[in-house]
Amino acid sequence: MTRLRILQVEDDHDILDISKIALEAIGGHEVFQFSDGNEAIAKAEEISPDLILLDVLMPRLSGQETLEQLRSLPKCKQVPVIFMTAKTQEEVVNRLRDIGAAGIVIKPFDPIALSADIANILSSTAV
């Protein structure tokens, strides 16, 4: 898999720590992490990500609200988005796909498999 510049927004610091190790040390990616959607939006154009990983439920801006604002930025309009969530109900998954999610990673996730899971999602959505 190609080395990706990943912008991740997640309010749980343990998940940030685990996913950073999984994506950088195991996956070989470059990860830019934020615990708040507003922080990520402020830095997104500077980062110019290849992939956006978003938590669904966050205290200030939800994942959906964060995505809406990221999509207004020229460098983030076409960037694939993968949501990370513990909510697996069909209506939740369908809503995330409807707003543009390339895929969903279910929490808790396997850190060893995270990069491969992301690669599979991205390859299944490639045109």
Side-chain angles (χ1 to χ4, degrees), residues 1-6 27-30 50 115 118-119 122:
M1 178 179 201
T2 306
R3 178 182 167 96
L4 299 174
R5 292 173 62 82
I6 300 173
H29 304 296
E30 186 175 11
D50 301 307
S115 288
I118 288 171
L122 294 177

Side-chain angles (χ1 to χ4, degrees), residues 1-126:
M1 178 179 201
T2 306
R3 178 182 167 96
L4 299 174
R5 292 173 62 82
I6 300 173
L7 183 147
Q8 182 180 22
V9 188
E10 167 66 58
D11 65 319
D12 184 316
H13 291 283
D14 290 334
I15 292 175
L16 284 174
D17 292 343
I18 293 166
S19 57
K20 186 167 185 87
I21 292 167
L23 294 168
E24 289 186 346
I26 298 168
H29 304 296
E30 186 175 11
V31 181
F32 302 86
Q33 296 182 318
F34 302 92
S35 58
D36 175 86
N38 289 317
E39 296 169 358
I41 293 161
K43 293 288 191 177
E45 292 241 284
E46 179 183 326
I47 293 167
S48 191
D50 301 307
L51 173 66
I52 299 168
L53 289 180
L54 286 175
D55 185 11
V56 173
L57 298 174
M58 296 182 287
R60 292 186 187 97
L61 287 180
S62 70
Q64 181 174 344
E65 293 166 328
T66 301
L67 177 58
E68 289 169 1
Q69 291 191 38
L70 286 169
R71 287 291 188 232
S72 71
L73 303 173
K75 290 185 179 178
C76 294
K77 282 189 185 307
Q78 301 299 320
V79 176
V81 173
I82 296 175
F83 281 95
M84 298 179 79
T85 183
K87 299 203 168 269
T88 60
Q89 297 89 346
E90 186 176 350
E91 64 272 8
V92 173
V93 171
N94 289 338
R95 180 177 49 82
L96 294 174
R97 290 194 188 283
D98 288 346
I99 64 169
I104 291 101
V105 171
I106 304 300
K107 296 181 204 173
F109 57 89
D110 176 355
I112 302 298
L114 183 58
S115 288
D117 292 344
I118 288 171
N120 289 335
I121 290 168
L122 294 177
S123 68
S124 71
T125 60

